[in-house]
Structure formats: structure tokens, C-alpha cells
Amino acid sequence: MVVAKRKAKKPGLLSHGRSPHINTKKTAANISAKATATIIRTHHQLQKAHAQAVKAGDHAKAAEIQKKIDEQGGLKTYQAASITGQSSERGGDSSRVLVDWLQELGLPSAYRETERGDVEGRKCKLLEVGALSTENACSKRRYLAVERIDLHSQAPGILQQDFMERPLAASDKERFDIISLSLVLNYVPDAEGRGEMLKRTRTFLRRTRDLDHDGAALAPNLPTPCLFLVLPAPCVTNSRYLDRQRLEQIMNSLGYVMLREKITAKLIYQLWKLAEKKLGKDQKFPKVEVNPGVKRNNFCVIVK
């Protein structure tokens, strides 16, 4: 009887036979992603609880919550997690979306001399609030003069400053063409504070129609002055008190018109141009349920 020869099996990959206690690169990345998300989520929850305790005058509870925040590393640990979240493995930094949109809308062509390397050329002024790095996409565009601020500076090129306490601009030359609020508004612990932050952005955007900071005429169809707003997608897509329509109503009431929008599973990106003339009277936006549901979150923006 002829015995059929069995085919020799190819040796399996080492990772296929590893003990489950030894992480492969993919598993390590997944765990790191979960840990990062947990740090960010917990920090936001504690900050919100702390703000509520302070508002209620419960100083003992506020101190207890602050102790928990400090024990978990406070703002420094939160920022480290945020920087990790902006790595290329996690989708990169959000300013890539901004510079792509500015390119689409023709902004670099208005500053072509600077973009080509002329150090004396005019530049477009950008204020990056909540800056975590001096090496992101917007920092590498020659036509952009970027000023960076954050509550806890992570690098020499970032000024340690609270946007809500930044001195008001004395003239248009001290204002900016673009303000970036990337994952900043959601860090504000209370709904009224978020409304105040959005209102405050207007005071730092230049209002001289079709003029740059040297008085030279620019094309009237440019996207500036504008606000780049980035939020976790669930803040808008799964909130009881905020949806895309209500956010647009709030922004329109402040004088903003949407130019671009991009929604992913995790983030919502928007570019808003500040109109030269207000679109209407100031409106109040109280806390109103617009999207009922048991599994909704409570993210809200209140404008008084």
C-alpha cells in the first residue's frame, strides 16, 4: 500500500504562537489607545464635577475632586494623552484639515511671496488656542504666522496663557486672521463658559474689511477672518442639548457662516467665517433638549 506523503507545514509566524501574556505591536497599540481615551474621558468628567461643586459652593467636595485630579496627574497627564492621540498612528493632528481647507479656499495664493520663502512677505496671523506642539501642520506653512497659547505650556514656543484671560486687542493689528479651537471648547467644564468662549473669539479676529495688517487689499472672497472648531463627534451627534442645527444657529447668531465641515467617527471639524456685518441680533440659547434619548450625553453650549 502506498502511503500518501503529507505536505510539510510552513512554519507559523512567531506572533501567532506567542503567549497571550506577551503583547504584539498591534495589541500594545490597542491598549495604549484605550488607556489614552480613559485618561482623557476621566479628566473631563472630574473637571465637570469640580466646576459644578464650585458653582454650588460646596468647597469640601470641590477640594476632594481636585485631589483626585491631582492624583491622576492633572492637566499635564491629560495633555500627554492628548499629544499621544495626535500621533500619526491615531490619525495625525487636526491642523492638517485646517491647512487643506485653507488651500482649497485659496488663502496661500494671497500670501504667495511668503509661501515662496520671502521673509519680508506678508503673513496670515493664526492664534492656536490649546496648542500642544510647535511641529504640527499649520506650523510648517510659511504664509502662516502662528501664535500658540495653552493653559500648561509643553514647549518653549507655546505661551502659557488662559484664552479667557488674554488681554483684549487694542487695535486690528493685534488681532488675528484665524483662531483655532481644536478640542478646546469641550475642555471648558460648564455650558455657559463654552458660550462665553465662542463669543470671545470674535474680539480677537480682525474686522477691517478686505485688508491685511499692513493695509494692503486682499481678495474679498478669502475665508478669513475665520474660526477653526474641532469637537469630539458625540458632542454634536449624540448630545441631548446640542445637534448640528442648534450649533449652526448659535454660530450664526454670533456672526459666523460655515465654510467647511467634516465629520468622522471620532471628530467633527468645522471652519466658520466671521461676517463683516452681523447676520442678526444677539440671541440667547438656553439649555434645551433637542435630541431626546436615554443613551445621549449632556454636552451643551449656553449663550446668554
PDB file of all heavy atoms in Angstrom, residues 266-304:
ATOM      1  N   LYS A 266     -14.957  59.911  15.159  1.00  0.00           N
ATOM      2  CA  LYS A 266     -14.488  60.457  16.431  1.00  0.00           C
ATOM      3  C   LYS A 266     -14.597  61.971  16.547  1.00  0.00           C
ATOM      4  O   LYS A 266     -14.788  62.498  17.641  1.00  0.00           O
ATOM      5  CB  LYS A 266     -13.031  60.040  16.668  1.00  0.00           C
ATOM      6  CG  LYS A 266     -12.851  58.548  16.891  1.00  0.00           C
ATOM      7  CD  LYS A 266     -11.404  58.223  17.207  1.00  0.00           C
ATOM      8  CE  LYS A 266     -11.222  56.730  17.488  1.00  0.00           C
ATOM      9  NZ  LYS A 266      -9.810  56.405  17.825  1.00  0.00           N
ATOM     10  N   LEU A 267     -14.432  62.682  15.427  1.00  0.00           N
ATOM     11  CA  LEU A 267     -14.331  64.138  15.499  1.00  0.00           C
ATOM     12  C   LEU A 267     -15.240  64.834  14.497  1.00  0.00           C
ATOM     13  O   LEU A 267     -15.589  64.273  13.457  1.00  0.00           O
ATOM     14  CB  LEU A 267     -12.887  64.582  15.247  1.00  0.00           C
ATOM     15  CG  LEU A 267     -11.815  64.097  16.229  1.00  0.00           C
ATOM     16  CD1 LEU A 267     -10.435  64.483  15.723  1.00  0.00           C
ATOM     17  CD2 LEU A 267     -12.047  64.658  17.624  1.00  0.00           C
ATOM     18  N   ILE A 268     -15.584  66.073  14.828  1.00  0.00           N
ATOM     19  CA  ILE A 268     -16.267  66.950  13.886  1.00  0.00           C
ATOM     20  C   ILE A 268     -15.405  68.194  13.708  1.00  0.00           C
ATOM     21  O   ILE A 268     -14.999  68.830  14.684  1.00  0.00           O
ATOM     22  CB  ILE A 268     -17.696  67.306  14.355  1.00  0.00           C
ATOM     23  CG1 ILE A 268     -18.359  68.270  13.360  1.00  0.00           C
ATOM     24  CG2 ILE A 268     -17.718  67.876  15.765  1.00  0.00           C
ATOM     25  CD1 ILE A 268     -19.854  68.430  13.584  1.00  0.00           C
ATOM     26  N   TYR A 269     -15.066  68.499  12.456  1.00  0.00           N
ATOM     27  CA  TYR A 269     -14.239  69.653  12.114  1.00  0.00           C
ATOM     28  C   TYR A 269     -15.134  70.672  11.399  1.00  0.00           C
ATOM     29  O   TYR A 269     -15.903  70.304  10.509  1.00  0.00           O
ATOM     30  CB  TYR A 269     -13.116  69.272  11.151  1.00  0.00           C
ATOM     31  CG  TYR A 269     -12.239  68.116  11.561  1.00  0.00           C
ATOM     32  CD1 TYR A 269     -12.658  66.799  11.380  1.00  0.00           C
ATOM     33  CD2 TYR A 269     -10.964  68.335  12.080  1.00  0.00           C
ATOM     34  CE1 TYR A 269     -11.842  65.726  11.727  1.00  0.00           C
ATOM     35  CE2 TYR A 269     -10.138  67.272  12.422  1.00  0.00           C
ATOM     36  CZ  TYR A 269     -10.582  65.973  12.244  1.00  0.00           C
ATOM     37  OH  TYR A 269      -9.773  64.912  12.580  1.00  0.00           O
ATOM     38  N   GLN A 270     -14.992  71.936  11.759  1.00  0.00           N
ATOM     39  CA  GLN A 270     -15.765  72.981  11.097  1.00  0.00           C
ATOM     40  C   GLN A 270     -14.907  74.232  10.915  1.00  0.00           C
ATOM     41  O   GLN A 270     -14.074  74.552  11.767  1.00  0.00           O
ATOM     42  CB  GLN A 270     -17.012  73.340  11.915  1.00  0.00           C
ATOM     43  CG  GLN A 270     -18.028  72.212  12.016  1.00  0.00           C
ATOM     44  CD  GLN A 270     -19.216  72.574  12.888  1.00  0.00           C
ATOM     45  OE1 GLN A 270     -19.106  73.395  13.798  1.00  0.00           O
ATOM     46  NE2 GLN A 270     -20.359  71.963  12.627  1.00  0.00           N
ATOM     47  N   LEU A 271     -15.139  74.927   9.805  1.00  0.00           N
ATOM     48  CA  LEU A 271     -14.470  76.204   9.549  1.00  0.00           C
ATOM     49  C   LEU A 271     -15.554  77.262   9.384  1.00  0.00           C
ATOM     50  O   LEU A 271     -16.426  77.137   8.519  1.00  0.00           O
ATOM     51  CB  LEU A 271     -13.611  76.123   8.286  1.00  0.00           C
ATOM     52  CG  LEU A 271     -12.735  77.348   8.004  1.00  0.00           C
ATOM     53  CD1 LEU A 271     -11.668  77.526   9.087  1.00  0.00           C
ATOM     54  CD2 LEU A 271     -12.075  77.241   6.628  1.00  0.00           C
ATOM     55  N   TRP A 272     -15.494  78.295  10.238  1.00  0.00           N
ATOM     56  CA  TRP A 272     -16.515  79.336  10.274  1.00  0.00           C
ATOM     57  C   TRP A 272     -15.899  80.684   9.926  1.00  0.00           C
ATOM     58  O   TRP A 272     -14.915  81.092  10.532  1.00  0.00           O
ATOM     59  CB  TRP A 272     -17.135  79.431  11.666  1.00  0.00           C
ATOM     60  CG  TRP A 272     -17.830  78.194  12.129  1.00  0.00           C
ATOM     61  CD1 TRP A 272     -17.289  77.146  12.812  1.00  0.00           C
ATOM     62  CD2 TRP A 272     -19.211  77.876  11.939  1.00  0.00           C
ATOM     63  NE1 TRP A 272     -18.245  76.196  13.068  1.00  0.00           N
ATOM     64  CE2 TRP A 272     -19.437  76.615  12.543  1.00  0.00           C
ATOM     65  CE3 TRP A 272     -20.285  78.541  11.324  1.00  0.00           C
ATOM     66  CZ2 TRP A 272     -20.689  76.007  12.552  1.00  0.00           C
ATOM     67  CZ3 TRP A 272     -21.528  77.934  11.327  1.00  0.00           C
ATOM     68  CH2 TRP A 272     -21.727  76.682  11.933  1.00  0.00           C
ATOM     69  N   LYS A 273     -16.495  81.379   8.974  1.00  0.00           N
ATOM     70  CA  LYS A 273     -16.027  82.727   8.634  1.00  0.00           C
ATOM     71  C   LYS A 273     -16.854  83.758   9.393  1.00  0.00           C
ATOM     72  O   LYS A 273     -18.077  83.660   9.459  1.00  0.00           O
ATOM     73  CB  LYS A 273     -16.141  82.988   7.130  1.00  0.00           C
ATOM     74  CG  LYS A 273     -15.656  84.394   6.734  1.00  0.00           C
ATOM     75  CD  LYS A 273     -15.565  84.574   5.237  1.00  0.00           C
ATOM     76  CE  LYS A 273     -15.035  85.962   4.894  1.00  0.00           C
ATOM     77  NZ  LYS A 273     -14.834  86.154   3.446  1.00  0.00           N
ATOM     78  N   LEU A 274     -16.161  84.737   9.968  1.00  0.00           N
ATOM     79  CA  LEU A 274     -16.838  85.813  10.684  1.00  0.00           C
ATOM     80  C   LEU A 274     -17.260  86.877   9.678  1.00  0.00           C
ATOM     81  O   LEU A 274     -16.427  87.486   9.005  1.00  0.00           O
ATOM     82  CB  LEU A 274     -15.910  86.423  11.738  1.00  0.00           C
ATOM     83  CG  LEU A 274     -16.522  87.508  12.627  1.00  0.00           C
ATOM     84  CD1 LEU A 274     -17.682  86.949  13.445  1.00  0.00           C
ATOM     85  CD2 LEU A 274     -15.458  88.090  13.557  1.00  0.00           C
ATOM     86  N   ALA A 275     -18.558  87.083   9.570  1.00  0.00           N
ATOM     87  CA  ALA A 275     -19.085  88.049   8.610  1.00  0.00           C
ATOM     88  C   ALA A 275     -18.733  89.468   9.031  1.00  0.00           C
ATOM     89  O   ALA A 275     -18.617  89.771  10.225  1.00  0.00           O
ATOM     90  CB  ALA A 275     -20.601  87.897   8.496  1.00  0.00           C
ATOM     91  N   GLU A 276     -18.555  90.341   8.046  1.00  0.00           N
ATOM     92  CA  GLU A 276     -18.234  91.740   8.348  1.00  0.00           C
ATOM     93  C   GLU A 276     -19.393  92.403   9.082  1.00  0.00           C
ATOM     94  O   GLU A 276     -19.199  93.172  10.011  1.00  0.00           O
ATOM     95  CB  GLU A 276     -17.935  92.492   7.048  1.00  0.00           C
ATOM     96  CG  GLU A 276     -17.511  93.933   7.258  1.00  0.00           C
ATOM     97  CD  GLU A 276     -16.229  94.067   8.058  1.00  0.00           C
ATOM     98  OE1 GLU A 276     -15.397  93.140   8.006  1.00  0.00           O
ATOM     99  OE2 GLU A 276     -16.064  95.087   8.743  1.00  0.00           O
ATOM    100  N   LYS A 277     -20.595  92.051   8.661  1.00  0.00           N
ATOM    101  CA  LYS A 277     -21.779  92.568   9.334  1.00  0.00           C
ATOM    102  C   LYS A 277     -22.508  91.410   9.992  1.00  0.00           C
ATOM    103  O   LYS A 277     -22.612  90.327   9.420  1.00  0.00           O
ATOM    104  CB  LYS A 277     -22.706  93.267   8.331  1.00  0.00           C
ATOM    105  CG  LYS A 277     -22.121  94.534   7.737  1.00  0.00           C
ATOM    106  CD  LYS A 277     -23.112  95.193   6.802  1.00  0.00           C
ATOM    107  CE  LYS A 277     -22.543  96.477   6.204  1.00  0.00           C
ATOM    108  NZ  LYS A 277     -23.506  97.127   5.278  1.00  0.00           N
ATOM    109  N   LYS A 278     -23.019  91.630  11.183  1.00  0.00           N
ATOM    110  CA  LYS A 278     -23.735  90.583  11.903  1.00  0.00           C
ATOM    111  C   LYS A 278     -24.969  90.161  11.123  1.00  0.00           C
ATOM    112  O   LYS A 278     -25.636  90.962  10.478  1.00  0.00           O
ATOM    113  CB  LYS A 278     -24.137  91.067  13.298  1.00  0.00           C
ATOM    114  CG  LYS A 278     -22.972  91.136  14.265  1.00  0.00           C
ATOM    115  CD  LYS A 278     -23.452  91.125  15.696  1.00  0.00           C
ATOM    116  CE  LYS A 278     -24.166  89.829  16.000  1.00  0.00           C
ATOM    117  NZ  LYS A 278     -24.605  89.760  17.408  1.00  0.00           N
ATOM    118  N   LEU A 279     -25.281  88.870  11.202  1.00  0.00           N
ATOM    119  CA  LEU A 279     -26.406  88.331  10.451  1.00  0.00           C
ATOM    120  C   LEU A 279     -27.741  88.652  11.103  1.00  0.00           C
ATOM    121  O   LEU A 279     -28.787  88.516  10.489  1.00  0.00           O
ATOM    122  CB  LEU A 279     -26.246  86.805  10.324  1.00  0.00           C
ATOM    123  CG  LEU A 279     -24.931  86.338   9.692  1.00  0.00           C
ATOM    124  CD1 LEU A 279     -24.883  84.826   9.651  1.00  0.00           C
ATOM    125  CD2 LEU A 279     -24.777  86.913   8.294  1.00  0.00           C
ATOM    126  N   GLY A 280     -27.718  89.077  12.337  1.00  0.00           N
ATOM    127  CA  GLY A 280     -28.955  89.394  13.047  1.00  0.00           C
ATOM    128  C   GLY A 280     -28.643  89.861  14.453  1.00  0.00           C
ATOM    129  O   GLY A 280     -27.496  90.134  14.802  1.00  0.00           O
ATOM    130  N   LYS A 281     -29.668  89.960  15.271  1.00  0.00           N
ATOM    131  CA  LYS A 281     -29.489  90.393  16.651  1.00  0.00           C
ATOM    132  C   LYS A 281     -28.907  89.267  17.489  1.00  0.00           C
ATOM    133  O   LYS A 281     -29.037  88.092  17.162  1.00  0.00           O
ATOM    134  CB  LYS A 281     -30.840  90.835  17.233  1.00  0.00           C
ATOM    135  CG  LYS A 281     -31.454  92.039  16.538  1.00  0.00           C
ATOM    136  CD  LYS A 281     -32.777  92.399  17.190  1.00  0.00           C
ATOM    137  CE  LYS A 281     -33.406  93.612  16.508  1.00  0.00           C
ATOM    138  NZ  LYS A 281     -34.720  93.956  17.114  1.00  0.00           N
ATOM    139  N   ASP A 282     -28.263  89.657  18.599  1.00  0.00           N
ATOM    140  CA  ASP A 282     -27.774  88.655  19.543  1.00  0.00           C
ATOM    141  C   ASP A 282     -28.953  87.844  20.069  1.00  0.00           C
ATOM    142  O   ASP A 282     -30.002  88.397  20.405  1.00  0.00           O
ATOM    143  CB  ASP A 282     -27.057  89.332  20.718  1.00  0.00           C
ATOM    144  CG  ASP A 282     -25.671  89.820  20.329  1.00  0.00           C
ATOM    145  OD1 ASP A 282     -25.113  89.287  19.359  1.00  0.00           O
ATOM    146  OD2 ASP A 282     -25.155  90.729  20.998  1.00  0.00           O
ATOM    147  N   GLN A 283     -28.764  86.549  20.117  1.00  0.00           N
ATOM    148  CA  GLN A 283     -29.821  85.671  20.613  1.00  0.00           C
ATOM    149  C   GLN A 283     -29.329  84.920  21.839  1.00  0.00           C
ATOM    150  O   GLN A 283     -28.130  84.695  22.005  1.00  0.00           O
ATOM    151  CB  GLN A 283     -30.229  84.665  19.533  1.00  0.00           C
ATOM    152  CG  GLN A 283     -30.824  85.281  18.288  1.00  0.00           C
ATOM    153  CD  GLN A 283     -31.211  84.206  17.285  1.00  0.00           C
ATOM    154  OE1 GLN A 283     -31.827  83.199  17.630  1.00  0.00           O
ATOM    155  NE2 GLN A 283     -30.851  84.409  16.035  1.00  0.00           N
ATOM    156  N   LYS A 284     -30.264  84.522  22.664  1.00  0.00           N
ATOM    157  CA  LYS A 284     -29.942  83.702  23.822  1.00  0.00           C
ATOM    158  C   LYS A 284     -30.253  82.247  23.490  1.00  0.00           C
ATOM    159  O   LYS A 284     -31.264  81.948  22.860  1.00  0.00           O
ATOM    160  CB  LYS A 284     -30.746  84.158  25.041  1.00  0.00           C
ATOM    161  CG  LYS A 284     -30.385  85.556  25.523  1.00  0.00           C
ATOM    162  CD  LYS A 284     -31.190  85.934  26.755  1.00  0.00           C
ATOM    163  CE  LYS A 284     -30.812  87.333  27.241  1.00  0.00           C
ATOM    164  NZ  LYS A 284     -31.597  87.725  28.455  1.00  0.00           N
ATOM    165  N   PHE A 285     -29.365  81.379  23.927  1.00  0.00           N
ATOM    166  CA  PHE A 285     -29.554  79.946  23.705  1.00  0.00           C
ATOM    167  C   PHE A 285     -29.443  79.230  25.048  1.00  0.00           C
ATOM    168  O   PHE A 285     -28.348  78.896  25.501  1.00  0.00           O
ATOM    169  CB  PHE A 285     -28.516  79.409  22.716  1.00  0.00           C
ATOM    170  CG  PHE A 285     -28.736  79.870  21.303  1.00  0.00           C
ATOM    171  CD1 PHE A 285     -28.208  81.079  20.870  1.00  0.00           C
ATOM    172  CD2 PHE A 285     -29.487  79.114  20.421  1.00  0.00           C
ATOM    173  CE1 PHE A 285     -28.418  81.519  19.572  1.00  0.00           C
ATOM    174  CE2 PHE A 285     -29.700  79.546  19.115  1.00  0.00           C
ATOM    175  CZ  PHE A 285     -29.168  80.754  18.690  1.00  0.00           C
ATOM    176  N   PRO A 286     -30.576  79.012  25.708  1.00  0.00           N
ATOM    177  CA  PRO A 286     -30.566  78.318  26.998  1.00  0.00           C
ATOM    178  C   PRO A 286     -30.401  76.810  26.808  1.00  0.00           C
ATOM    179  O   PRO A 286     -30.311  76.315  25.671  1.00  0.00           O
ATOM    180  CB  PRO A 286     -31.943  78.653  27.575  1.00  0.00           C
ATOM    181  CG  PRO A 286     -32.812  78.814  26.362  1.00  0.00           C
ATOM    182  CD  PRO A 286     -31.929  79.423  25.303  1.00  0.00           C
ATOM    183  N   LYS A 287     -30.378  76.102  27.898  1.00  0.00           N
ATOM    184  CA  LYS A 287     -30.266  74.643  27.854  1.00  0.00           C
ATOM    185  C   LYS A 287     -31.624  74.062  27.484  1.00  0.00           C
ATOM    186  O   LYS A 287     -32.568  74.113  28.263  1.00  0.00           O
ATOM    187  CB  LYS A 287     -29.810  74.116  29.218  1.00  0.00           C
ATOM    188  CG  LYS A 287     -29.495  72.627  29.239  1.00  0.00           C
ATOM    189  CD  LYS A 287     -28.939  72.232  30.597  1.00  0.00           C
ATOM    190  CE  LYS A 287     -28.536  70.766  30.639  1.00  0.00           C
ATOM    191  NZ  LYS A 287     -27.954  70.403  31.957  1.00  0.00           N
ATOM    192  N   VAL A 288     -31.718  73.527  26.275  1.00  0.00           N
ATOM    193  CA  VAL A 288     -32.976  72.982  25.765  1.00  0.00           C
ATOM    194  C   VAL A 288     -32.705  71.603  25.173  1.00  0.00           C
ATOM    195  O   VAL A 288     -31.745  71.422  24.419  1.00  0.00           O
ATOM    196  CB  VAL A 288     -33.579  73.900  24.678  1.00  0.00           C
ATOM    197  CG1 VAL A 288     -34.830  73.267  24.083  1.00  0.00           C
ATOM    198  CG2 VAL A 288     -33.895  75.267  25.249  1.00  0.00           C
ATOM    199  N   GLU A 289     -33.537  70.647  25.502  1.00  0.00           N
ATOM    200  CA  GLU A 289     -33.370  69.302  24.952  1.00  0.00           C
ATOM    201  C   GLU A 289     -33.800  69.296  23.488  1.00  0.00           C
ATOM    202  O   GLU A 289     -34.935  69.615  23.159  1.00  0.00           O
ATOM    203  CB  GLU A 289     -34.201  68.289  25.744  1.00  0.00           C
ATOM    204  CG  GLU A 289     -33.904  66.845  25.362  1.00  0.00           C
ATOM    205  CD  GLU A 289     -34.635  65.840  26.244  1.00  0.00           C
ATOM    206  OE1 GLU A 289     -35.878  65.910  26.287  1.00  0.00           O
ATOM    207  OE2 GLU A 289     -33.968  65.015  26.884  1.00  0.00           O
ATOM    208  N   VAL A 290     -32.877  68.942  22.616  1.00  0.00           N
ATOM    209  CA  VAL A 290     -33.164  68.918  21.181  1.00  0.00           C
ATOM    210  C   VAL A 290     -33.062  67.508  20.598  1.00  0.00           C
ATOM    211  O   VAL A 290     -33.456  67.274  19.460  1.00  0.00           O
ATOM    212  CB  VAL A 290     -32.202  69.858  20.409  1.00  0.00           C
ATOM    213  CG1 VAL A 290     -32.421  71.304  20.815  1.00  0.00           C
ATOM    214  CG2 VAL A 290     -30.744  69.452  20.614  1.00  0.00           C
ATOM    215  N   ASN A 291     -32.529  66.594  21.394  1.00  0.00           N
ATOM    216  CA  ASN A 291     -32.294  65.241  20.890  1.00  0.00           C
ATOM    217  C   ASN A 291     -32.515  64.237  22.023  1.00  0.00           C
ATOM    218  O   ASN A 291     -31.560  63.721  22.598  1.00  0.00           O
ATOM    219  CB  ASN A 291     -30.860  65.142  20.355  1.00  0.00           C
ATOM    220  CG  ASN A 291     -30.653  63.937  19.471  1.00  0.00           C
ATOM    221  OD1 ASN A 291     -31.601  63.346  18.961  1.00  0.00           O
ATOM    222  ND2 ASN A 291     -29.399  63.552  19.280  1.00  0.00           N
ATOM    223  N   PRO A 292     -33.776  63.929  22.357  1.00  0.00           N
ATOM    224  CA  PRO A 292     -34.074  63.057  23.494  1.00  0.00           C
ATOM    225  C   PRO A 292     -33.503  61.649  23.302  1.00  0.00           C
ATOM    226  O   PRO A 292     -33.341  61.177  22.180  1.00  0.00           O
ATOM    227  CB  PRO A 292     -35.613  63.016  23.516  1.00  0.00           C
ATOM    228  CG  PRO A 292     -36.057  64.159  22.676  1.00  0.00           C
ATOM    229  CD  PRO A 292     -34.994  64.376  21.662  1.00  0.00           C
ATOM    230  N   GLY A 293     -33.216  61.009  24.415  1.00  0.00           N
ATOM    231  CA  GLY A 293     -32.725  59.632  24.352  1.00  0.00           C
ATOM    232  C   GLY A 293     -32.002  59.250  25.622  1.00  0.00           C
ATOM    233  O   GLY A 293     -31.295  60.072  26.214  1.00  0.00           O
ATOM    234  N   VAL A 294     -32.164  58.007  26.028  1.00  0.00           N
ATOM    235  CA  VAL A 294     -31.557  57.531  27.277  1.00  0.00           C
ATOM    236  C   VAL A 294     -30.038  57.496  27.187  1.00  0.00           C
ATOM    237  O   VAL A 294     -29.336  57.782  28.157  1.00  0.00           O
ATOM    238  CB  VAL A 294     -32.100  56.124  27.619  1.00  0.00           C
ATOM    239  CG1 VAL A 294     -31.435  55.585  28.881  1.00  0.00           C
ATOM    240  CG2 VAL A 294     -33.610  56.160  27.790  1.00  0.00           C
ATOM    241  N   LYS A 295     -29.511  57.167  26.020  1.00  0.00           N
ATOM    242  CA  LYS A 295     -28.067  56.976  25.874  1.00  0.00           C
ATOM    243  C   LYS A 295     -27.341  58.222  25.364  1.00  0.00           C
ATOM    244  O   LYS A 295     -26.194  58.143  24.948  1.00  0.00           O
ATOM    245  CB  LYS A 295     -27.796  55.798  24.942  1.00  0.00           C
ATOM    246  CG  LYS A 295     -28.284  54.464  25.501  1.00  0.00           C
ATOM    247  CD  LYS A 295     -27.913  53.310  24.587  1.00  0.00           C
ATOM    248  CE  LYS A 295     -28.376  51.981  25.177  1.00  0.00           C
ATOM    249  NZ  LYS A 295     -28.022  50.832  24.308  1.00  0.00           N
ATOM    250  N   ARG A 296     -28.010  59.361  25.386  1.00  0.00           N
ATOM    251  CA  ARG A 296     -27.366  60.602  24.950  1.00  0.00           C
ATOM    252  C   ARG A 296     -26.448  61.154  26.042  1.00  0.00           C
ATOM    253  O   ARG A 296     -26.632  60.868  27.223  1.00  0.00           O
ATOM    254  CB  ARG A 296     -28.420  61.665  24.626  1.00  0.00           C
ATOM    255  CG  ARG A 296     -29.495  61.235  23.646  1.00  0.00           C
ATOM    256  CD  ARG A 296     -28.949  61.000  22.270  1.00  0.00           C
ATOM    257  NE  ARG A 296     -30.029  60.696  21.334  1.00  0.00           N
ATOM    258  CZ  ARG A 296     -29.853  60.215  20.118  1.00  0.00           C
ATOM    259  NH1 ARG A 296     -28.631  59.990  19.676  1.00  0.00           N
ATOM    260  NH2 ARG A 296     -30.875  59.967  19.333  1.00  0.00           N
ATOM    261  N   ASN A 297     -25.466  61.969  25.635  1.00  0.00           N
ATOM    262  CA  ASN A 297     -24.632  62.659  26.621  1.00  0.00           C
ATOM    263  C   ASN A 297     -25.214  64.045  26.888  1.00  0.00           C
ATOM    264  O   ASN A 297     -26.162  64.478  26.220  1.00  0.00           O
ATOM    265  CB  ASN A 297     -23.175  62.742  26.148  1.00  0.00           C
ATOM    266  CG  ASN A 297     -23.019  63.576  24.886  1.00  0.00           C
ATOM    267  OD1 ASN A 297     -23.245  64.785  24.890  1.00  0.00           O
ATOM    268  ND2 ASN A 297     -22.635  62.935  23.785  1.00  0.00           N
ATOM    269  N   ASN A 298     -24.653  64.753  27.852  1.00  0.00           N
ATOM    270  CA  ASN A 298     -25.217  66.032  28.287  1.00  0.00           C
ATOM    271  C   ASN A 298     -24.411  67.245  27.823  1.00  0.00           C
ATOM    272  O   ASN A 298     -24.526  68.326  28.409  1.00  0.00           O
ATOM    273  CB  ASN A 298     -25.327  66.051  29.814  1.00  0.00           C
ATOM    274  CG  ASN A 298     -26.342  65.048  30.324  1.00  0.00           C
ATOM    275  OD1 ASN A 298     -27.403  64.863  29.732  1.00  0.00           O
ATOM    276  ND2 ASN A 298     -26.011  64.369  31.416  1.00  0.00           N
ATOM    277  N   PHE A 299     -23.599  67.083  26.789  1.00  0.00           N
ATOM    278  CA  PHE A 299     -22.811  68.222  26.309  1.00  0.00           C
ATOM    279  C   PHE A 299     -23.749  69.334  25.847  1.00  0.00           C
ATOM    280  O   PHE A 299     -24.738  69.090  25.159  1.00  0.00           O
ATOM    281  CB  PHE A 299     -21.895  67.808  25.160  1.00  0.00           C
ATOM    282  CG  PHE A 299     -20.948  68.897  24.735  1.00  0.00           C
ATOM    283  CD1 PHE A 299     -19.777  69.129  25.438  1.00  0.00           C
ATOM    284  CD2 PHE A 299     -21.237  69.701  23.637  1.00  0.00           C
ATOM    285  CE1 PHE A 299     -18.901  70.142  25.062  1.00  0.00           C
ATOM    286  CE2 PHE A 299     -20.373  70.715  23.253  1.00  0.00           C
ATOM    287  CZ  PHE A 299     -19.202  70.932  23.969  1.00  0.00           C
ATOM    288  N   CYS A 300     -23.396  70.558  26.222  1.00  0.00           N
ATOM    289  CA  CYS A 300     -24.294  71.677  25.959  1.00  0.00           C
ATOM    290  C   CYS A 300     -23.495  72.968  25.812  1.00  0.00           C
ATOM    291  O   CYS A 300     -22.415  73.112  26.389  1.00  0.00           O
ATOM    292  CB  CYS A 300     -25.295  71.797  27.117  1.00  0.00           C
ATOM    293  SG  CYS A 300     -26.512  73.111  26.942  1.00  0.00           S
ATOM    294  N   VAL A 301     -24.019  73.892  25.022  1.00  0.00           N
ATOM    295  CA  VAL A 301     -23.462  75.243  24.908  1.00  0.00           C
ATOM    296  C   VAL A 301     -24.588  76.221  25.204  1.00  0.00           C
ATOM    297  O   VAL A 301     -25.635  76.186  24.549  1.00  0.00           O
ATOM    298  CB  VAL A 301     -22.889  75.515  23.505  1.00  0.00           C
ATOM    299  CG1 VAL A 301     -22.412  76.967  23.398  1.00  0.00           C
ATOM    300  CG2 VAL A 301     -21.744  74.561  23.185  1.00  0.00           C
ATOM    301  N   ILE A 302     -24.386  77.063  26.206  1.00  0.00           N
ATOM    302  CA  ILE A 302     -25.387  78.060  26.581  1.00  0.00           C
ATOM    303  C   ILE A 302     -24.850  79.447  26.245  1.00  0.00           C
ATOM    304  O   ILE A 302     -23.724  79.787  26.612  1.00  0.00           O
ATOM    305  CB  ILE A 302     -25.717  77.978  28.087  1.00  0.00           C
ATOM    306  CG1 ILE A 302     -26.419  76.651  28.400  1.00  0.00           C
ATOM    307  CG2 ILE A 302     -26.590  79.155  28.519  1.00  0.00           C
ATOM    308  CD1 ILE A 302     -26.689  76.436  29.883  1.00  0.00           C
ATOM    309  N   VAL A 303     -25.651  80.219  25.534  1.00  0.00           N
ATOM    310  CA  VAL A 303     -25.276  81.594  25.196  1.00  0.00           C
ATOM    311  C   VAL A 303     -26.275  82.528  25.855  1.00  0.00           C
ATOM    312  O   VAL A 303     -27.477  82.432  25.616  1.00  0.00           O
ATOM    313  CB  VAL A 303     -25.268  81.822  23.669  1.00  0.00           C
ATOM    314  CG1 VAL A 303     -24.915  83.272  23.354  1.00  0.00           C
ATOM    315  CG2 VAL A 303     -24.282  80.878  22.994  1.00  0.00           C
ATOM    316  N   LYS A 304     -25.767  83.423  26.693  1.00  0.00           N
ATOM    317  CA  LYS A 304     -26.649  84.366  27.400  1.00  0.00           C
ATOM    318  C   LYS A 304     -26.584  85.751  26.772  1.00  0.00           C
ATOM    319  O   LYS A 304     -25.611  86.110  26.139  1.00  0.00           O
ATOM    320  CB  LYS A 304     -26.240  84.443  28.874  1.00  0.00           C
ATOM    321  CG  LYS A 304     -26.570  83.168  29.646  1.00  0.00           C
ATOM    322  CD  LYS A 304     -26.342  83.377  31.115  1.00  0.00           C
ATOM    323  CE  LYS A 304     -26.860  82.204  31.927  1.00  0.00           C
ATOM    324  NZ  LYS A 304     -26.688  82.410  33.380  1.00  0.00           N
TER     325      LYS A 304
END
